[in-house]
């Protein structure tokens, strides 16, 4: 019971004397402030001897990167600035003031160093906050000041969006030279423990360095402390919003060569891709400073736009080749050998029924080959021949035997027929027959005589048999124009056939060139994309 009573008395005594102690500290703090500022002025340097140098220790804590304006080259940061110095007139004996060793008073009551940000870009110079200073009994003054600073930063966008930036923040006295006030660094670098991560920039470090500079206006040295902020851009936003869409659009440019020439959309595709790249180029140009250094993504856009422009120009040239008319010249021999034979196989361009092992071109048969096939017993003609859509009747005799051929076949372009109007003896109109020629004199009907024979000595030595086909007709003399009409039809068909062959060859040349440039531009776009993405690694 006695123990409980003694404990209660001690507790009550503590509660009674604690407010008295706090009140005593408050009374002594008021008395200390009055004593310190009674004969104090904040207009002069707080040194006992004017030849003494006052030493100011500077420490920076980076809290946040608010903005990086690349176009105007201004860095906006939120800093905590701590300045520590010794004031010879703000010292006291703490035993005289009930053990009070520190007090906090407004910073405007004491002398403050005129340390400013040399490369400030703030037009108001009022971004700092008026805070209290902490005074110690030995004369140490510590001033913690939060500030939002705008500093000029030389932005190098040569490797945008994979760039690294170095922004300098230089602090120094505006009026005191090195013989009056010296600066020292509290830490080797700025404090980043309380840094708020930025969504666009990654802070790699912020080292500090002291410099002593002699300006041209003055002979005294001026010390300053420079903090270099190393920043690395987070490129994910630009990769997914600028690079990948540009790459996807760039891969559409070579596909313009794959479009059929008759579709009419080859040039339109190239122009559309060029306009899309121009829009992306304008977006990049708006955010970049107008400098001589072209950003990496800008170089990629310019190279891609140049490639698209070249592909559009080549498409126009190839379409001109594709639409060559019948009046076009034949394909040159070098183009036929290099493009149609070799380059077509490299680009895997084959006609219907061809493959990589067969010949790339089908040569038309000559007249000698057709006659040789006829001499070997291959009869490509029938008894009814289709001339200009009408059936002409006749019969074919071999060696004068009068044997009619009943098998009918299709008309072939490699048939060469000699139409001979011979005279027929005894016919009306004075027609008389000669050896192998006939002159129409009257009567109707006609027949075809096929004769075999051996040519001259040269042909006999070659061992080749030739077959001559003579068409003997009986016609009315007033139908002499039929011969010229048939010859005109045959010549027209031959000219049309040769023109179609020339057009087909030129179209194949255009197709081979389309495929070649398609693969070439695909390779160029691929390597360009690999090179620019390699900068991010």
């Amino acid at each position: 019971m006695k123990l409980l009573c003694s404990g209660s008395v001690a507790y009550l005594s503590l509660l009674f004397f604690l407010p008295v102690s706090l009140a005593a500290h408050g009374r002594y703090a008021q008395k200390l402030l009055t004593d310190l500022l009674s004969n104090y002025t904040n207009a002069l340097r707080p040194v006992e001897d004017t030849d003494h140098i006052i030493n100011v220790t500077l420490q920076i804590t980076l809290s946040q990167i608010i903005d990086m304006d690349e176009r105007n080259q201004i860095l906006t940061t939120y800093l905590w600035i701590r300045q520590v110095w010794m004031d010879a007139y703000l010292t006291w004996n703490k035993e005289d003031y009930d053990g009070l060793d520190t007090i906090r008073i407004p910073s405007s009551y004491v002398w403050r160093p005129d340390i400013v940000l040399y490369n400030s870009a703030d037009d108001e110079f009022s971004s700092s906050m008026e805070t209290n200073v902490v005074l110690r009994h030995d004369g140490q003054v510590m001033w913690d000041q939060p500030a939002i600073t705008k500093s000029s930063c030389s932005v190098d966008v040569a490797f945008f969006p994979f760039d690294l930036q170095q922004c300098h923040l230089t602090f120094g006295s505006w009026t005191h030279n090195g013989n009056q006030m010296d600066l020292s660094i509290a830490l080797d670098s700025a404090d980043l423990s309380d840094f708020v991560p930025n969504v666009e920039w990654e802070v790699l470090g912020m080292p500090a360095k002291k410099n002593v500079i002699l300006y041209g206006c003055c002979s005294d040295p001026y010390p300053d402390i420079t903090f270099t902020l190393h920043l690395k851009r987070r490129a994910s936003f630009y990769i997914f919003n600028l690079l990948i869409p540009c790459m996807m659009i760039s891969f559409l440019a070579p596909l313009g060569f794959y479009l059929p020439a008759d579709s009419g959309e080859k040039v339109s595709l190239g122009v559309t891709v060029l306009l899309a790249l121009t829009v992306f180029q304008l977006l990049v140009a708006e955010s970049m400073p107008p400098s001589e250094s072209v950003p990496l993504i800008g170089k990629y856009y310019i190279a891609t736009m140049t490639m698209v422009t070249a592909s559009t120009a080549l498409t126009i040239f190839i379409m001109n080749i594709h639409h060559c008319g019948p009046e076009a010249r034949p394909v040159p021999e070098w183009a036929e050998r290099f493009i149609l034979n070799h380059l077509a196989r490299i680009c895997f361009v084959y006609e219907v029924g061809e493959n990589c092992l067969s010949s790339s071109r089908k040569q038309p048969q000559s007249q000698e080959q057709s006659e040789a096939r006829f001499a070997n017993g291959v009869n490509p003609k029938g008894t009814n021949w289709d001339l200009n859509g009408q059936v002409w009747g006749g019969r074919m005799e071999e060696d004068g035997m009068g044997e009619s051929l009943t098998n009918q076949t299709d008309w072939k372009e490699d048939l060469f027929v000699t139409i001979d109007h011979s005279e027929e003896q005894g016919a009306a109109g004075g027609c008389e027959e000669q050896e192998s020629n006939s002159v129409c004199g009257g009567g109707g009907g006609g027949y075809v005589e096929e004769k075999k024979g051996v040519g001259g000595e040269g042909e006999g030595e070659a061992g080749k048999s030739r077959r001559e086909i003579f068409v003997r007709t009986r016609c009315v003399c007033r139908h002499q124009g039929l011969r010229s009409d048939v010859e005109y039809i045959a010549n027209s068909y031959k000219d049309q056939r040769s023109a179609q062959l020339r057009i087909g060859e030129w179209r194949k040349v255009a197709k081979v060139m389309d495929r070649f440039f398609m693969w070439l531009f695909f390779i160029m776009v691929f390597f360009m994309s690999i090179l620019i993405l390699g900068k991010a690694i």
Side-chain angles (χ1 to χ4, degrees):
M1 186 68 181
K2 293 181 178 180
L3 181 62
L4 181 60
C5 292
S6 61
S8 301
V9 172
Y11 179 70
L12 292 175
S13 300
L14 180 62
L15 292 178
F16 177 77
F17 287 107
L18 182 60
V20 175
S21 177
L22 294 177
H25 275 292
R27 186 172 63 252
Y28 282 111
Q30 183 67 31
K31 182 178 181 300
L32 175 61
L33 179 61
T34 304
D35 294 342
L36 290 176
L37 299 180
S38 59
N39 295 319
Y40 183 83
T41 177
N42 58 2
L44 299 176
R45 287 188 307 122
V47 292
E48 296 178 352
D49 189 355
T50 56
D51 294 334
H52 290 174
I53 300 174
I54 185 170
N55 188 18
V56 178
T57 304
L58 185 65
Q59 179 181 349
I60 297 295
T61 300
L62 178 62
S63 178
Q64 185 181 1
I65 296 176
I66 299 176
D67 183 34
M68 167 65 91
D69 189 355
E70 292 95 344
R71 188 168 185 84
N72 296 318
Q73 301 190 27
I74 295 177
L75 172 67
T76 305
T77 56
Y78 178 44
L79 302 177
W80 298 344
I81 303 174
R82 171 172 290 185
Q83 304 177 44
V84 180
W85 66 94
M86 299 298 294
D87 195 322
Y89 302 110
L90 295 178
T91 60
W92 70 91
N93 189 1
K94 62 181 179 178
E95 281 75 14
D96 296 339
Y97 298 92
D98 196 18
L100 187 62
D101 60 345
T102 59
I103 60 173
R104 289 165 176 83
I105 61 175
S107 60
S108 59
Y109 290 179
V110 299
W111 177 88
R112 295 173 298 181
D114 56 345
I115 295 177
V116 296
L117 181 63
Y118 281 174
N119 57 335
S120 176
D122 194 354
D123 53 352
E124 296 180 357
F125 290 98
S126 61
S127 57
S128 61
M129 184 188 305
E130 292 292 336
T131 58
N132 294 336
V133 295
V134 180
L135 301 181
R136 289 183 57 183
H137 67 280
D138 56 353
Q140 182 184 13
V141 182
M142 183 174 63
W143 182 26
D144 289 333
Q145 178 189 21
I148 296 177
T149 62
K150 291 184 178 180
S151 59
S152 60
C153 178
S154 179
V155 180
D156 184 12
V157 293
F159 294 96
F160 175 84
F162 310 108
D163 52 337
L164 298 173
Q165 302 298 335
Q166 293 184 2
C167 296
H168 303 283
L169 286 84
T170 303
F171 295 90
S173 176
W174 191 253
T175 58
H176 295 90
N177 55 42
N179 298 324
Q180 297 171 344
M181 186 174 66
D182 191 15
L183 297 179
S184 59
I185 307 172
L187 299 174
D188 293 336
S189 64
D191 186 9
L192 303 177
S193 59
D194 296 323
F195 177 72
V196 178
N198 189 270
V199 295
E200 185 178 359
W201 297 96
E202 178 184 357
V203 177
L204 302 180
M206 193 174 179
K209 181 182 179 182
K210 179 181 177 180
N211 304 306
V212 178
I213 301 176
L214 294 174
Y215 293 98
C217 64
C218 311
S219 60
D220 298 324
Y222 283 84
D224 63 63
I225 296 177
T226 301
F227 293 87
T228 304
L229 181 60
H230 296 273
L231 299 175
K232 179 181 180 182
R233 191 188 301 271
R234 302 181 190 270
S236 301
F237 173 81
Y238 300 97
I239 290 176
F240 287 100
N241 291 277
L242 291 180
L243 278 182
I244 293 181
C246 178
M247 292 178 184
M248 296 173 65
I249 293 174
S250 301
F251 275 100
L252 290 177
L255 290 179
F257 293 106
Y258 193 74
L259 276 177
D262 297 329
S263 64
E265 300 293 334
K266 294 172 71 71
V267 180
S268 301
L269 178 62
V271 174
T272 304
V273 172
L274 189 61
L275 291 177
L277 291 174
T278 304
V279 173
F280 282 102
Q281 175 69 17
L282 291 176
L283 291 177
V284 175
E286 288 179 357
S287 60
M288 294 293 101
S291 62
E292 296 182 357
S293 180
V294 181
L296 182 64
I297 189 173
K299 294 178 182 179
Y300 178 74
Y301 283 159
I302 292 174
T304 306
M305 292 171 65
T306 304
M307 185 190 66
V308 173
T309 304
S311 66
T312 306
L314 289 173
T315 299
I316 297 173
F317 174 72
I318 294 174
M319 288 184 64
N320 189 20
I321 295 177
H322 176 83
H323 291 286
C324 286
E327 67 279 0
R329 296 180 180 179
V331 178
E333 184 179 355
W334 65 268
E336 180 179 350
R337 184 184 305 108
F338 176 70
I339 299 178
L340 298 182
N341 291 338
H342 301 290
L343 195 59
R345 295 182 181 180
I346 296 175
C347 299
F348 305 101
V349 178
Y350 305 109
E351 294 180 354
V352 178
E354 291 183 350
N355 53 34
C356 59
L357 299 178
S358 61
S359 177
S360 61
R361 298 191 62 207
K362 184 176 180 180
Q363 301 291 342
Q365 293 181 350
S366 61
Q367 179 179 358
E368 289 78 4
Q369 293 175 349
S370 302
E371 293 179 357
R373 289 182 59 193
F374 204 154
N376 293 331
V378 180
N379 184 16
K381 313 296 180 295
T383 56
N384 296 327
W385 296 349
D386 188 5
L387 295 177
N388 200 17
Q390 298 182 1
V391 177
W392 175 79
R395 53 192 178 87
M396 182 176 289
E397 298 179 358
E398 184 173 355
D399 293 335
M401 298 299 296
E403 181 180 356
S404 298
L405 301 176
T406 60
N407 296 330
Q408 296 184 358
T409 59
D410 295 335
W411 179 270
K412 302 292 183 181
E413 69 272 13
D414 54 356
L415 176 65
F416 296 89
V417 179
T418 303
I419 301 177
D420 195 357
H421 299 276
S422 303
E423 294 183 355
E424 198 74 14
Q425 289 184 356
C431 296
E432 59 181 9
E433 183 179 359
Q434 296 179 0
E435 294 179 357
S436 61
N437 300 325
S438 62
V439 179
C440 299
Y447 63 93
V448 178
E449 179 180 355
E450 180 179 352
K451 291 187 179 182
K452 290 183 178 179
V454 178
E457 293 179 0
E459 295 182 356
E461 292 175 359
K464 296 182 179 178
S465 60
R466 296 179 56 87
R467 178 174 296 182
E468 297 180 358
I469 302 176
F470 296 95
V471 179
R472 295 175 179 271
T473 61
R474 291 195 184 99
C475 60
V476 184
C477 291
R478 66 173 177 269
H479 292 162
Q480 285 286 346
L482 180 61
R483 174 180 179 181
S484 61
D485 293 341
V486 172
E487 290 179 353
Y488 176 77
I489 293 172
N491 293 331
S492 298
Y493 177 77
K494 187 183 299 182
D495 294 340
Q496 183 180 3
R497 181 62 177 172
S498 61
Q500 290 178 353
L501 291 176
R502 286 197 303 270
I503 293 175
E505 288 180 347
W506 281 115
R507 288 187 175 182
K508 187 174 181 181
V509 169
K511 185 176 181 181
V512 173
M513 293 178 67
D514 267 335
R515 296 296 172 83
F516 170 73
F517 285 115
M518 181 189 72
W519 291 114
L520 178 62
F521 278 84
F522 263 130
I523 295 173
M524 291 174 60
V525 172
F526 176 76
F527 277 105
M528 287 171 54
S529 303
I530 293 297
L531 287 176
I532 191 170
L533 288 179
K535 297 293 183 179
I537 302 176

